[in-house]
């Protein structure tokens, strides 16, 4: 510092013989002010002195006051006001020297940093200008060529063409009241969805009964309920669980979302160039605030189901990547938020399945309310067909709706048959030909008349669909009647109807038995279907014990053949009572009413034990035209309410069954009417 003083003042050091001590100190103070002026600049030095209330001291001719000004400016302390004695000034000036030296050193370092920063900024600017120049050049040249422009024109031409809406789209229910045969299920669904605290739901039922449509319409109905938590624009995201494919390495996961790493998964260029992983949000985030509907949820991959459970618990999806660096300043805020907080996924899950509840993940079932859709009866199918005819504006001939109901129990399939017949009638009308199975070959080049506007609606209103049209459709489509076995009036020996169930569909089993005296008493044989199942075969031996107890007959004196018509496998012992009655009828030659069906396990004491699937079995009996269904007494609570066209009686023992089954047709009908 002494060196700088000598350079700026041109005077020798203080203490020389040529100068007094005070003069030397004045020159030092002046030199220090000169350094500060060079360091800050004259204007800034004056402003700084003014702020520190040192301006008057700095202009003073008194050495002590100038030293105070120097202290205030150097140390930036306006409280210093003690005028130093002459002997103390050298020590003070040494302290000021050191402070000014520190300021100069800091300023030197700051200048170097500023130069480096300026150089870096210039480099970034030059790089940015080069990228902009390249982008402009690329935009001017463009990726298009003659071939790409031709393909673009082809796509635009395809988009300009549009077919009419499909029949299924037009005939689909537009509100909940149009869903036929599911009043109880629809009410349960909407009540669970429209609650201020909505529940996740699983819908069970056979295909084609309206589960998907009901779920979609239920959300629209729930939006209108006061207190429901849905916004007007709450989304309904639909996906099929059987088509959801994902990679265990999380390369892709359309349901929950995935992360595209910059190297392996190919993030966008602006992310890949800076090595930033790119999150891809999934359907659970798209459904945030609304409903995520997963059709065939039972087909969903088990591991993916477990991951979905985690999302249901957390109401958000967590993302992770080894390429994510939270300290990287180049990471956009939305990516940082996704990795650190997760993506929102607060939705109501509605799953639909045709599987049995026992086949669904128990953890998912425990978190969901369960709603069961009923199989459609022939009456329901007929109502669906008539409603579809009104929407199409066509007239149905006699028995058309009834015939369609014989070939399907699915509302979707019934509408499809009607739409096929409608198209067939329109085509024949365009040809001017009579209804025939074989159309003239020249008709292949004919065009349909336009069916739009008032004239088109009038033409459709005059369209008549007859039963011959329906028969032609089912013949060309190779559709078989859904119910092969039908109940009838009268009675037969050795033939009875049992009840079975597969999934959510009940069916009627035709069981027959024949009995012949054995060649040698006590050496008779029993033959039973090999495909019927071991438990069903055991029912034969239970039946033998009951028959012997009731009638004293030993079935070992007979050669007995029991047959399940069609060779179907009986699941469990539920056909035990029916097998007992068939064998007893064959041995005693007692006719059995042919409008009665029965289900229940038989014990060797003659008691009828409870079975499963009673609801489905009753609906199956209705399909076959059964008038009376007998079920175990312990299943009485499973009997649906307000049944039409069928009577269901719970029974507890064989003794209760015999009067209802082993009677002549007229007597049995009178007995049924009395009940």
């Amino acid at each position: 510092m002494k060196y700088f003083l000598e350079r700026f003042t041109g005077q020798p050091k203080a203490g020389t013989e040529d100068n007094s001590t005070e003069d030397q100190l004045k020159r030092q103070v002046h030199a220090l002010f000169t350094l500060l002026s060079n360091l800050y600049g004259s204007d800034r030095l004056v402003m700084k002195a003014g702020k520190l209330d040192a301006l008057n001291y700095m202009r003073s001719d008194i050495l002590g006051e100038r030293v105070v000004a120097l202290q205030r400016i150097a140390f930036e302390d306006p409280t210093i006001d003690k005028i130093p004695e002459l002997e103390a000034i050298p020590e003070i000036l040494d302290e000021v020297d050191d402070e000014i030296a520190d300021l100069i050193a800091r300023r030197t370092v700051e200048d170097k940093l500023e130069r480096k920063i300026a150089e870096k900024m210039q480099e970034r600017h030059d790089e940015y200008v080069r990228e902009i120049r390249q982008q402009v050049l690329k935009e001017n040249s463009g990726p298009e060529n003659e071939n790409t422009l031709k393909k673009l024109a082809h796509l635009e031409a395809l988009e300009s063409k549009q077919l009419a809406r499909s029949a299924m789209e037009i005939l689909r229910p537009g509100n909940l009241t149009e869903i036929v045969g599911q009043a109880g299920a629809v009410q349960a669904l909407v009540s669970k969805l429209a609650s201020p605290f909505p529940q996740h739901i699983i819908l069970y039922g056979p295909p084609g009964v309206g589960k998907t449509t009901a779920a979609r319409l239920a959300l629209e109905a729930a939006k209108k309920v006061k207190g429901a938590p849905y916004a007007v624009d709450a989304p309904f995201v639909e996906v099929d669980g059987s088509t959801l494919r994902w990679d265990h390495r999380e390369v892709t996961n359309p349901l929950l979302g995935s992360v595209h790493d910059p190297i392996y998964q190919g993030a966008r260029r602006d992310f890949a160039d800076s090595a930033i992983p790119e999150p891809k949000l999934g359907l659970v985030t798209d459904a945030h605030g609304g409903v995520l509907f997963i059709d065939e949820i039972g087909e969903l991959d088990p591991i993916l189901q477990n991951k979905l459970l985690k999302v249901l618990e957390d109401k958000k999806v967590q993302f992770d990547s080894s390429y994510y660096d939270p300290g990287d300043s180049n990471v956009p805020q939305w990516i940082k938020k996704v990795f650190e907080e997760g993506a929102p996924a607060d939705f109501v899950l509605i799953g639909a399945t045709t599987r049995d509840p026992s086949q669904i993940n128990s953890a998912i079932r425990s978190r969901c309310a369960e709603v069961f859709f009923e199989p459609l009866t022939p009456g329901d199918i007929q109502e669906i067909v008539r409603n579809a005819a009104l929407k199409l504006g066509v007239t149905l001939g006699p028995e058309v709706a009834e015939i369609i109901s014989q070939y399907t129990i699915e509302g979707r399939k019934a509408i499809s048959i009607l739409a096929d017949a409608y198209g067939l009638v329109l085509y024949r009308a365009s040809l001017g030909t009579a209804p025939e199975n074989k159309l003239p070959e020249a008709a292949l080049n004919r065009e349909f008349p336009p069916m739009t506007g008032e004239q088109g609606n009038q033409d459709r209103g005059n369209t008549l669909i007859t039963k011959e049209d329906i028969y032609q459709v089912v013949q060309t489509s190779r559709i078989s009647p859904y119910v092969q076995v039908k109940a009838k009036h009268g009675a037969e020996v050795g033939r009875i109807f049992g009840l079975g169930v597969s999934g959510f569909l009940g069916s009627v089993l035709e069981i027959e038995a024949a009995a012949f005296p054995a060649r040698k008493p006590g050496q008779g044989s029993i033959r039973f279907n090999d495909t019927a199942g071991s438990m069903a075969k055991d029912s034969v031996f239970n039946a033998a014990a009951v028959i012997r107890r009731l009638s004293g007959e030993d079935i070992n004196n007979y050669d007995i053949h029991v047959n399940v018509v069609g060779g179907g496998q009986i699941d469990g012992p539920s056909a035990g009572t029916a097998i007992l009655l068939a064998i007893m009828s064959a041995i005693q030659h007692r006719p059995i009413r042919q409008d009665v069906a029965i289900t229940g396990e038989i014990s060797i004491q003659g008691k009828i034990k409870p079975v499963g699937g009673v609801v489905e079995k009753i609906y199956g009996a209705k399909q076959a035209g059964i008038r009376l269904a007998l079920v175990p007494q312990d299943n009485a609570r499973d009997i649906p309410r307000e049944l039409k066209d069928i009577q269901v009686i719970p029974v507890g023992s064989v003794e209760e069954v015999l009067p209802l089954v082993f009677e002549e047709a007229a007597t049995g009908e009178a007995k049924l009417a009395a009940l």
Side-chain angles (χ1 to χ4, degrees):
M1 196 65 203
K2 306 292 182 173
Y3 168 75
F4 286 109
L5 291 175
E6 291 177 0
R7 285 191 58 195
F8 279 98
T9 60
Q11 301 294 331
K13 296 180 182 180
T16 58
E17 297 177 355
D18 297 334
N19 298 285
S20 67
T21 301
E22 184 176 356
D23 291 339
Q24 183 65 29
L25 292 176
K26 287 182 178 180
R27 284 195 293 272
Q28 288 184 7
V29 170
H30 177 73
L32 291 174
F33 273 119
T34 303
L35 278 175
L36 290 175
S37 178
N38 293 335
L39 184 62
Y40 292 114
S42 300
D43 294 337
R44 289 186 62 189
L45 180 61
V46 172
M47 292 177 61
K48 193 175 184 68
K51 290 180 180 180
L52 296 172
D53 198 17
L55 194 57
N56 292 331
Y57 285 143
M58 187 174 68
R59 294 172 178 172
S60 175
D61 293 333
I62 300 174
L63 177 61
E65 292 182 352
R66 287 177 60 83
V67 171
V68 170
L70 193 61
Q71 285 180 289
R72 290 187 178 186
I73 296 173
F75 298 109
E76 295 185 352
D77 186 357
T79 63
I80 299 175
D81 55 4
K82 182 179 180 180
I83 307 300
E85 298 293 337
L86 184 64
E87 293 79 8
I89 290 178
E91 184 178 352
I92 294 175
L93 292 181
D94 288 339
E95 294 177 356
V96 172
D97 287 347
D98 294 337
E99 184 65 25
I100 294 177
D102 290 341
L103 288 174
I104 294 174
R106 285 198 298 270
R107 177 59 60 88
T108 302
V109 173
E110 290 174 357
D111 290 342
K112 289 182 179 180
L113 288 176
E114 288 178 359
R115 284 196 299 272
K116 290 183 179 180
I117 291 173
E119 291 173 358
K120 290 292 183 182
M121 291 182 64
Q122 185 63 38
E123 290 177 2
R124 293 287 180 89
H125 176 72
D126 294 341
E127 183 179 354
Y128 175 74
V129 170
R130 284 195 299 271
E131 289 181 356
I132 294 297
R133 184 180 292 110
Q134 292 175 358
Q135 184 177 353
V136 171
L137 293 174
K138 184 177 181 180
E139 290 177 354
N140 290 336
S141 61
E144 305 294 350
N145 53 46
E146 182 180 357
N147 189 33
T148 59
L149 292 175
K150 185 183 296 184
K151 291 184 177 180
L152 176 62
H154 178 63
L155 287 175
E156 292 175 346
L158 292 177
E159 290 177 349
S160 65
K161 301 176 183 179
Q162 186 175 3
L163 298 177
R165 292 186 298 169
S166 67
M168 299 302 297
E169 184 179 358
I170 296 174
L171 302 179
R172 181 184 296 127
N175 56 69
L176 292 174
T177 60
E178 296 181 15
I179 299 178
V180 177
Q182 308 296 342
V186 168
Q187 181 179 355
L189 172 60
V190 176
S191 64
K192 291 174 174 56
L193 196 62
S195 167
F197 309 101
Q199 305 177 61
H200 303 301
I201 305 168
I202 297 181
L203 307 180
Y204 298 97
V209 297
K211 298 188 295 294
T212 303
T213 301
R216 185 183 296 109
L217 296 176
L219 176 60
E220 296 304 317
K223 292 178 183 178
K224 303 175 184 177
V225 176
K226 185 177 180 180
Y230 309 102
V232 177
D233 59 347
F236 182 88
V237 178
E238 181 180 348
V239 65
D240 193 323
S242 61
T243 62
L244 276 175
R245 298 291 180 263
W246 69 292
D247 188 274
H248 291 266
R249 299 169 298 173
E250 299 295 344
V251 174
T252 178
N253 192 332
L255 179 62
L256 306 183
S258 56
V259 177
H260 285 201
D261 287 328
I263 296 178
Y264 298 105
Q265 280 82 26
R268 291 204 309 268
R269 179 182 175 184
D270 51 343
F271 292 149
D273 291 346
S274 53
I276 298 174
E278 177 187 5
K280 296 287 186 180
L281 304 183
L283 297 176
V284 293
T285 302
D286 294 341
H288 179 73
V291 168
L292 174 63
F293 179 81
I294 303 180
D295 198 9
E296 299 300 339
I297 192 171
E299 306 297 328
L300 206 61
D301 185 277
I303 299 179
L304 191 55
Q305 290 186 33
N306 292 332
K307 290 178 176 289
L308 179 61
L309 287 173
K310 178 64 174 173
V311 175
L312 293 179
E313 292 290 337
D314 297 344
K315 297 186 177 182
K316 62 174 55 179
V317 186
Q318 300 295 339
F319 291 85
D320 188 24
S321 173
S322 58
Y323 290 89
Y324 172 64
D325 181 7
D328 189 350
S329 60
N330 294 322
V331 178
Q333 288 298 318
W334 76 270
I335 293 182
K336 186 184 293 290
K337 186 176 181 65
V338 166
F339 277 111
E340 295 180 2
E341 301 179 14
D346 190 1
F347 58 89
V348 174
L349 171 67
I350 301 182
T353 182
T354 56
R355 290 190 173 193
D356 187 86
S358 62
Q359 298 176 305
I360 304 301
N361 186 308
S362 58
I364 289 183
R365 288 187 62 193
S366 67
R367 289 167 174 81
C368 298
E370 298 179 307
V371 176
F372 289 81
F373 278 61
E374 307 293 353
L376 297 176
T377 65
D380 295 333
I381 295 295
Q382 293 171 27
E383 183 178 350
I384 290 173
V385 171
R386 286 191 288 267
N387 292 342
L390 290 176
K391 288 187 176 182
L392 285 176
V394 300
T395 303
L396 298 181
E399 303 179 6
V400 167
E402 181 181 354
I403 293 171
I404 293 177
S405 69
Q406 296 174 1
Y407 284 87
T408 182
I409 62 167
E410 297 183 24
R412 183 168 47 240
K413 186 62 177 178
I415 291 176
S416 176
I417 294 174
L418 179 64
D420 288 348
Y422 173 66
L424 179 64
V425 171
L426 288 183
Y427 185 54
R428 280 203 296 249
S430 71
L431 302 175
T433 59
E436 297 177 356
N437 289 340
K438 185 176 181 181
L439 296 175
E441 188 172 340
L444 297 176
N445 296 323
R446 296 287 295 274
E447 296 182 358
F448 286 95
M451 299 301 293
T452 58
E454 184 177 352
Q455 181 62 39
N457 293 332
Q458 183 178 357
D459 292 341
R460 285 194 292 173
N462 295 330
T463 301
L464 174 65
I465 297 178
T466 65
K467 62 180 181 180
E468 287 77 15
D469 301 322
I470 302 299
Y471 282 131
Q472 183 171 347
V473 168
V474 298
Q475 180 183 3
T476 55
S477 301
R478 299 296 189 271
I479 303 175
S480 301
Y482 178 77
V483 179
Q484 301 289 344
V485 180
K486 282 285 188 179
K488 62 182 180 180
H489 294 291
E492 291 185 20
V493 173
R495 182 175 183 266
I496 192 171
F497 293 122
L499 295 175
V501 62
S502 176
F504 296 98
L505 299 178
S507 60
V508 171
L509 303 173
E510 184 181 359
I511 300 174
E512 59 183 7
F516 308 95
R519 291 184 175 85
K520 293 181 180 181
Q523 297 185 8
S525 62
I526 298 177
R527 179 172 176 79
F528 198 71
N529 292 60
D530 290 336
T531 59
S534 60
M535 297 186 72
K537 293 179 181 180
D538 291 340
S539 298
V540 176
F541 300 104
N542 292 349
V546 176
I547 292 173
R548 188 165 186 175
R549 184 176 65 85
L550 293 177
S551 64
E553 292 278 2
D554 186 355
I555 66 172
N556 289 324
N557 295 325
Y558 298 90
D559 290 328
I560 299 175
H561 187 178
V562 180
N563 178 47
V564 179
V565 178
Q569 182 173 3
I570 302 174
D571 183 16
S574 62
T577 306
I579 292 172
L580 163 68
L581 296 173
I583 295 175
M584 183 178 291
S585 172
I587 291 175
Q588 298 177 352
H589 298 283
R590 298 174 64 184
I592 296 176
R593 288 176 52 191
Q594 296 301 294
D595 59 353
V596 177
I598 187 168
T599 183
E601 178 183 357
I602 188 69
S603 73
I604 60 176
Q605 296 177 346
K607 296 180 180 180
I608 300 177
K609 298 296 184 179
V611 294
V614 169
V615 174
E616 291 79 8
K617 290 176 179 179
I618 292 174
Y619 277 101
K622 289 184 64 176
Q623 292 279 355
I626 297 295
R627 297 183 59 196
L628 174 62
L630 304 177
V631 301
Q633 180 67 50
D634 291 339
N635 290 118
R637 293 185 178 180
D638 300 330
I639 300 174
R641 300 178 180 179
E642 299 179 359
L643 287 171
K644 298 179 181 179
D645 305 324
I646 190 173
Q647 185 172 7
V648 181
I649 298 178
V651 290
S653 65
V654 175
E655 288 82 356
E656 296 179 42
V657 174
L658 297 181
L660 300 173
V661 176
F662 286 129
E663 291 184 346
E664 297 297 332
T667 306
E669 291 178 4
K671 179 78 173 179
L672 180 58
L675 292 173

